[in-house]
Amino acid sequence: MREKLNKGFAQMFKNGVIMDVTNTEQAKIAEDAGACAVMALERVPSDIRAMGGVARMSDPGMIEAIMAAVSIPVMAKSRIGHLAEARILEALGVDFIDESEVLTPADDEAHIDKKSFSVPFVCGARDLGEALRRIQEGASMIRTKGEAGTGNVVEAVRHLKTVNRQLAELAGMDTAALSEKAQEYRVTPELVRQVRDLGRLPVVTFVAGGIATPADAALMMMLGSEGCFVGSGIFKSQNPARTARAVVEAVINWQDPKRLVEISRGLGEPMRGLEIKTLETAMASRGI
Amino acid sequence: MRDCIVGILALQGAVQDHEAPFARLGVQTIQVRHREELERVDGLVIPGGESTVMGRFLHDYGLIKPIKARIREGMPVWGLCAGAIVLCQEVDGGPGCLGLLPARARRNAYGRQLSSFEEEVDTAVGPFPGIFIRAPRLEPLGDTEAMGWRRDQQSSTHRGDAVLLRNGKVLAASFHPELSGDDRLHAYFMTLFS
């Protein structure tokens, strides 16, 4: 019912940066730096990795404090398939829910039926099939999964390029080929046809998972992303306020290498970063 | 009008969403991020998005003075939602960013995303699909005219909140015609160029 309002709301984030924040001070730093929204969560993904154990929805009180502290939209994460966490976040009045693989999945057979909610959802995807399944379930926005908490963009690059390549493959397909794709992707032929005709996903598409520097953000815009989520990359850097602002400026000026020089200059140490091969948990493989 | 170049402020927000409506009207658009691009345009759209982000970079990129100067010289400008907030003289009781439109804006006056709504509004171009997303409430001041209104649910003779304001060549909307597929208000904006 609220499809137009929710997909339209996602359009307003475009050309912007959505930042993970864990308290009101960080939320204000993000807002001052020019974030177009914040993601309120108790621990950024790199700390979730370090801590281990089960990662769950954040304390509603903590999310509420951030909603009161900033005037920009506030998102929060629910576990994959965790209907009750999503209902709690909706009742709390958050502006967007991220059904996120960064938290430990609650259901390994199904994602949340997002069409039954008034609040909009963003979901992660590694490829076109995953993106379309989430859209069919009612997601108003898609982001790459990348590999959260690593400060390593390689997975986000792979996911974005995979979606783009698979979109290009749809372009020349006839009805028979489209219905085969629909079966492969486990979605309706109508959705696959709509996407072929549009030549893009029917919702706003951001990148997430491993973005740590302004150059990373600019790279993602060059590859066709409409904006960036930055998690651990901001508040695990040596100078969060400057890094936050530089990433926002890189998204504005991604077509201008000379300005990117100034934006990237003297920011201090970015977050440490992890090699993908050494990871104990591949968050991107969570979800179906 | 067809030779005009409309700039779309591209510091953040629903920038690309205005390119198709103007293209359908045969109007060329360019994205504006810095002064050199501003100098090339005949009019400016300040799109929906986050007004705090736009305000910050309008200031930091030195765009406030040149935009104000161009508007005073008669350049048409249209602010939508966040863009309308950027134009208003008074925002949440304080001074607005460009402050060129005698009007008051209250940010997120209708509530957060769960309170966003869709309803038909009455405008200078007739009934129009109104898509309101975390919308500001706009109130005209001085010689600013309301050109569009919500309908009053209780009364057919009284108008509800103003949703489209005009003062000379400055236009402000609290809703999103660019998301409706209806180009009449984009066409109306182009009449300000003559």
Side-chain angles (χ1 to χ4, degrees), chain A residues 143-259:
Chain A
R143 55 170 176 77
T144 62
K145 286 180 167 173
E147 194 54 52
T150 62
N152 188 340
V153 287
V154 67
E155 294 301 307
V157 168
R158 188 204 319 283
H159 299 162
L160 187 58
K161 284 176 76 175
T162 302
V163 171
N164 288 342
R165 188 177 63 247
Q166 291 170 330
L167 282 168
E169 280 166 14
L170 285 188
M173 285 189 189
D174 59 13
T175 310
L178 285 180
S179 77
E180 224 170 89
K181 272 289 160 199
Q183 265 189 348
E184 181 192 329
Y185 291 159
R186 289 177 274 143
V187 295
T188 63
E190 292 72 39
L191 179 58
V192 180
R193 178 187 302 276
Q194 184 202 355
V195 169
R196 180 199 63 181
D197 294 348
L198 272 175
R200 53 154 296 149
L201 289 178
V203 299
V204 168
T205 309
F206 269 40
V207 287
I211 289 100
T213 67
D216 289 348
L219 168 65
M220 295 308 182
M221 298 303 283
M222 289 173 191
L223 294 175
S225 182
E226 297 181 284
C228 290
F229 284 87
V230 187
S232 322
I234 304 284
F235 290 99
K236 290 291 169 185
S237 69
Q238 192 184 1
N239 192 333
R242 288 196 59 194
T243 302
R245 170 162 171 127
V247 172
V248 173
E249 281 204 80
V251 168
I252 298 173
N253 296 290
W254 62 273
Q255 289 150 301
D256 190 336
K258 285 201 174 117
R259 283 197 165 94

Side-chain angles (χ1 to χ4, degrees), chain A residues 84-105:
Chain A
E85 285 187 349
R87 286 294 176 202
I88 290 167
L89 293 173
E90 182 179 54
L92 189 60
V94 300
D95 293 294
F96 236 98
I97 295 177
D98 183 5
E99 186 185 17
S100 177
E101 69 283 358
V102 165
L103 305 184
T104 311

Side-chain angles (χ1 to χ4, degrees), chain B residues 6 22 44-45 76-78 171 185-193:
Chain B
V6 171
F22 283 117
L44 187 68
V45 169
V77 60
W78 183 15
L171 194 63
L185 282 172
H186 287 79
Y188 177 78
F189 176 59
M190 293 316 296
T191 66
L192 305 183
F193 286 73

Side-chain angles (χ1 to χ4, degrees), chain B residues 57-120:
Chain B
F57 291 103
L58 279 169
H59 180 267
D60 291 359
Y61 290 171
L63 285 165
I64 290 183
K65 254 193 176 167
I67 290 178
K68 278 183 162 175
R70 290 292 308 276
I71 294 173
R72 286 205 189 94
E73 289 162 16
M75 176 180 76
V77 60
W78 183 15
L80 299 102
C81 193
I85 295 169
V86 166
L87 285 173
C88 281
Q89 222 166 54
E90 192 188 312
V91 177
D92 294 339
C97 172
L98 288 170
L100 278 165
L101 178 66
R104 257 187 216 122
R106 201 151 72 76
R107 297 181 61 211
N108 306 330
Y110 302 102
R112 309 185 73 97
Q113 174 59 10
L114 283 167
S115 306
S116 291
F117 59 96
E118 220 181 326
E119 67 181 28
E120 197 165 67

Side-chain angles (χ1 to χ4, degrees), chain A:
Chain A
M1 281 305 287
R2 291 176 63 85
E3 190 179 336
K4 198 180 267 181
L5 289 168
N6 286 341
K7 288 184 178 172
F9 180 33
Q11 302 291 338
M12 302 305 143
F13 295 131
K14 282 193 302 196
N15 310 292
V17 180
I18 300 168
M19 299 180 194
D20 280 1
V21 296
T22 60
N23 55 47
T24 55
E25 289 71 33
Q26 290 184 355
K28 283 183 191 146
I29 289 170
E31 184 177 47
D32 284 346
C36 66
V38 290
M39 177 79 69
L41 77 174
E42 274 161 347
R43 277 185 289 280
V44 293
S46 66
D47 287 337
I48 291 175
R49 275 186 193 287
M51 283 208 35
V54 173
R56 310 178 178 92
M57 175 186 81
S58 298
D59 183 333
M62 170 268 175
I63 298 168
E64 215 163 27
I66 288 173
M67 288 163 68
V70 295
S71 67
I72 57 179
V74 176
M75 299 185 170
K77 288 183 195 288
S78 79
R79 283 180 263 177
I80 289 173
H82 207 308
L83 277 169
E85 285 187 349
R87 286 294 176 202
I88 290 167
L89 293 173
E90 182 179 54
L92 189 60
V94 300
D95 293 294
F96 236 98
I97 295 177
D98 183 5
E99 186 185 17
S100 177
E101 69 283 358
V102 165
L103 305 184
T104 311
D107 188 335
D108 55 9
E109 290 175 349
H111 288 247
I112 294 168
D113 170 22
K114 293 166 275 286
K115 285 210 161 118
S116 66
F117 283 75
S118 296
V119 68
F121 282 82
V122 55
C123 290
R126 285 164 298 176
D127 54 41
L128 183 57
E130 208 171 4
L132 295 183
R133 287 193 290 282
R134 299 297 86 80
I135 290 166
Q136 187 159 283
E137 290 157 1
S140 299
M141 180 175 180
I142 291 292
R143 55 170 176 77
T144 62
K145 286 180 167 173
E147 194 54 52
T150 62
N152 188 340
V153 287
V154 67
E155 294 301 307
V157 168
R158 188 204 319 283
H159 299 162
L160 187 58
K161 284 176 76 175
T162 302
V163 171
N164 288 342
R165 188 177 63 247
Q166 291 170 330
L167 282 168
E169 280 166 14
L170 285 188
M173 285 189 189
D174 59 13
T175 310
L178 285 180
S179 77
E180 224 170 89
K181 272 289 160 199
Q183 265 189 348
E184 181 192 329
Y185 291 159
R186 289 177 274 143
V187 295
T188 63
E190 292 72 39
L191 179 58
V192 180
R193 178 187 302 276
Q194 184 202 355
V195 169
R196 180 199 63 181
D197 294 348
L198 272 175
R200 53 154 296 149
L201 289 178
V203 299
V204 168
T205 309
F206 269 40
V207 287
I211 289 100
T213 67
D216 289 348
L219 168 65
M220 295 308 182
M221 298 303 283
M222 289 173 191
L223 294 175
S225 182
E226 297 181 284
C228 290
F229 284 87
V230 187
S232 322
I234 304 284
F235 290 99
K236 290 291 169 185
S237 69
Q238 192 184 1
N239 192 333
R242 288 196 59 194
T243 302
R245 170 162 171 127
V247 172
V248 173
E249 281 204 80
V251 168
I252 298 173
N253 296 290
W254 62 273
Q255 289 150 301
D256 190 336
K258 285 201 174 117
R259 283 197 165 94
L260 291 174
V261 173
E262 294 316 310
I263 291 165
S264 303
R265 202 190 288 277
L267 294 176
E269 279 292 306
M271 75 176 282
R272 174 88 168 76
L274 293 166
E275 175 62 48
I276 301 295
K277 282 188 219 106
T278 65
L279 298 180
E280 277 177 33
T281 306
M283 289 176 175
S285 64
R286 292 165 165 178
I288 58 160

